[in-house]
Amino acid sequence: FPAQFVEHRNPHRGHDRQVLLTKNLGLKEHHLPLLSCLLGNSLIPAELLFSFHKKLRSGLQPSGHNPVLDIMPRICMYVRPQKTQYSMLARTALCDDTKTDFLQAIVTRYTFICC
């Protein structure tokens, strides 16, 4: 995740980055796998998210840095709800509501890998 959202103060404390990231973005730790998937990762390629990211950048003034920094707060709005609506996210982020099970499986798999 971009350094703007994560300050790694103590390399001996494994969860410092996650704690600071969640605090700065207003998320819970269990939201991080979904956030990572909606940003694009090795399990969900950026090409699948291109239209979603383009829509999120609409009306934003580019910062001149990594474009992910510009849209990260907007992606967090999709991640924060108490109950994740995978069908809505598949329709919105992947432009295909038939990919609901795919998205949920990827987030579950990523949860297992990273947490």
Side-chain angles (χ1 to χ4, degrees), residues 85-106:
Q85 299 292 322
Y86 285 100
S87 59
M88 183 273 299
L89 285 172
R91 182 174 47 256
T92 305
L94 303 176
C95 301
D96 186 350
D97 54 357
T98 65
K99 292 190 177 182
T100 299
D101 292 337
F102 166 76
L103 180 60
Q104 190 166 6
I106 293 297

Side-chain angles (χ1 to χ4, degrees), residues 47-101:
E47 300 84 46
L48 282 177
L49 299 164
F50 179 79
S51 295
F52 178 56
H53 289 181
K54 183 178 178 181
K55 187 181 345 175
L56 292 176
R57 282 192 298 275
S58 174
L60 286 177
Q61 191 68 21
S63 65
H65 300 288
N66 185 334
V68 171
L69 292 178
D70 298 333
I71 62 171
M72 191 178 288
R74 288 185 175 187
I75 289 177
C76 289
M77 291 187 298
Y78 288 91
V79 174
R80 281 190 197 105
Q82 291 287 58
K83 184 164 172 55
T84 302
Q85 299 292 322
Y86 285 100
S87 59
M88 183 273 299
L89 285 172
R91 182 174 47 256
T92 305
L94 303 176
C95 301
D96 186 350
D97 54 357
T98 65
K99 292 190 177 182
T100 299
D101 292 337

Side-chain angles (χ1 to χ4, degrees), residues 2 11 32 36 39 64 96 113:
L32 295 180
S36 177
L39 289 170
D96 186 350
I113 291 170

